[in-house]
Amino acid sequence: MEAMISVTCHYPKLCAQYLTSQFYEAGYSLSQRGDILNILVMSAQQLSDPNIEKIIDKRAVIKSYINFNMITEEHFRNLVKKRSSTPNETKKKKIVKSKENKFSDFVGYFFFPLLNQYDKERIHFSIMEKDYFLLGKMIFTLGMILYFSQNSTVHENMIKALGDFLWNVKNHREEFIRKSIIFAYTIIVMTASDNVLFGYLINYLTELKFWLQAIIIEEPNKERKIEANNCLSLLSNRVKDNLQFLISGF
């Protein structure tokens, strides 16, 4: 897999086009489709080289799938906590963080082909139904690619597309899918500009708040409760920091 990641980093456009096209094709096992997601997200991290410590630990790639805890949980929680406790920090970092993102020119080839084909009918696998584990991994991958695409010209379009997609799957019955959706929403709230979060996505925010609150109250899994609460706290601080866009109830 490391060889594939290396090749993808050297030829990102060609490799991303090939990998995303093959993800939905017949003739691959679920494990091999998981490998494709692994390669895409780890290549995205190397290409983006964000001004933070490495989030993805190669040791977390287990049995062809990215372990969902591959985002060092402590690192991610600290990042969310910092953003939640200092709502103006995001704005400051966006101004200071002007470092060129090598991923910017290629991010669309990693992201949109995965997202644009999920609802097509296929006989070889069903990502929206029985193969839900792969759906969760794909949502996670899209969230990570979005995170690594900060400062790219298509970042806002990616947020809009992912927000629409998450809205369609947020009531999925599987707990693993809810975990990945909470994660992806957290990335959106963390990285979206005010114009996108309180413009294009504003109609979603109240319902998102209710959805997160329901998870906090009703979800039996303690980790999901914590993750939902983190996302809700982050969202509430973003809203409070933009009083002109204040939505009733926040």
Side-chain angles (χ1 to χ4, degrees), residues 2 7 20 23 37-38 53 62-63 72-74 88 90 92 96 99 132 142 187 192 212 224 234 240:
E2 288 192 18
V7 172
T20 53
F23 179 75
L37 297 178
N38 289 352
E53 65 186 76
I62 301 175
K63 295 182 179 179
T72 308
E73 296 251 343
E74 182 178 358
N88 288 320
T90 302
K92 293 178 182 178
V96 174
K99 181 179 178 180
Y132 68 88
L142 292 168
I187 295 295
L212 292 168
R224 298 300 81 72
L234 194 65
K240 290 174 184 177

Side-chain angles (χ1 to χ4, degrees), residues 38-240:
N38 289 352
I39 294 166
L40 288 171
V41 74
M42 296 190 77
S43 299
Q45 175 176 256
Q46 291 190 25
L47 286 167
S48 66
D49 191 24
N51 190 25
I52 56 172
E53 65 186 76
K54 293 292 185 182
I55 292 179
I56 299 176
D57 187 342
K58 290 183 179 179
R59 294 173 299 176
V61 179
I62 301 175
K63 295 182 179 179
S64 301
Y65 280 110
I66 296 175
N67 181 336
F68 207 97
N69 293 329
M70 64 177 293
I71 294 187
T72 308
E73 296 251 343
E74 182 178 358
H75 173 91
F76 186 67
R77 286 175 184 164
N78 288 341
L79 186 59
V80 172
K81 183 178 179 181
K82 192 172 184 180
R83 296 291 180 91
S84 297
S85 59
T86 56
N88 288 320
E89 188 72 14
T90 302
K91 291 184 176 180
K92 293 178 182 178
K93 286 192 174 182
K94 283 184 178 178
I95 297 173
V96 174
K97 189 177 176 181
S98 58
K99 181 179 178 180
E100 180 183 1
N101 187 335
K102 297 178 182 178
F103 189 41
S104 298
D105 293 337
F106 311 106
V107 61
Y109 301 106
F110 284 68
F111 185 87
F112 292 109
L114 283 180
L115 193 57
N116 292 341
Q117 300 184 56
Y118 78 93
D119 57 349
K120 294 182 180 179
E121 292 187 9
R122 297 174 180 83
I123 60 174
H124 44 280
F125 80 111
S126 176
I127 195 169
M128 295 299 293
E129 295 179 7
K130 63 179 182 178
D131 298 321
Y132 68 88
F133 189 73
L134 196 62
L135 174 62
K137 293 295 181 181
M138 188 184 77
I139 294 172
F140 167 78
T141 299
L142 292 168
M144 285 307 309
I145 293 173
L146 178 66
Y147 183 75
F148 294 135
S149 73
Q150 294 179 74
N151 301 326
S152 70
T153 57
V154 295
H155 186 73
E156 290 192 356
N157 289 335
M158 292 168 64
I159 287 177
K160 293 176 182 178
L162 184 57
D164 290 340
F165 168 68
L166 294 176
W167 196 251
N168 292 329
V169 299
K170 68 181 177 64
N171 294 320
H172 200 285
R173 64 184 182 276
E174 295 295 338
E175 184 266 339
F176 180 68
I177 304 300
R178 292 195 295 277
K179 177 181 176 71
S180 64
I181 292 172
I182 293 169
F183 167 77
Y185 270 130
T186 302
I187 295 295
I188 287 176
V189 175
M190 284 173 57
T191 66
S193 66
D194 292 342
N195 288 337
V196 173
L197 190 63
F198 303 112
Y200 184 84
L201 298 177
I202 194 167
N203 292 329
Y204 293 155
L205 296 187
T206 300
E207 289 300 322
L208 175 58
K209 170 199 167 186
F210 293 149
W211 182 75
L212 292 168
Q213 288 177 330
I215 291 177
I216 294 170
I217 296 171
E218 302 170 6
E219 177 66 51
N221 188 294
K222 184 178 179 180
E223 286 297 311
R224 298 300 81 72
K225 290 176 180 287
I226 293 173
E227 291 158 0
N229 186 66
N230 287 340
C231 185
L232 183 59
S233 296
L234 194 65
L235 178 60
S236 296
N237 281 334
R238 289 292 306 271
V239 172
K240 290 174 184 177

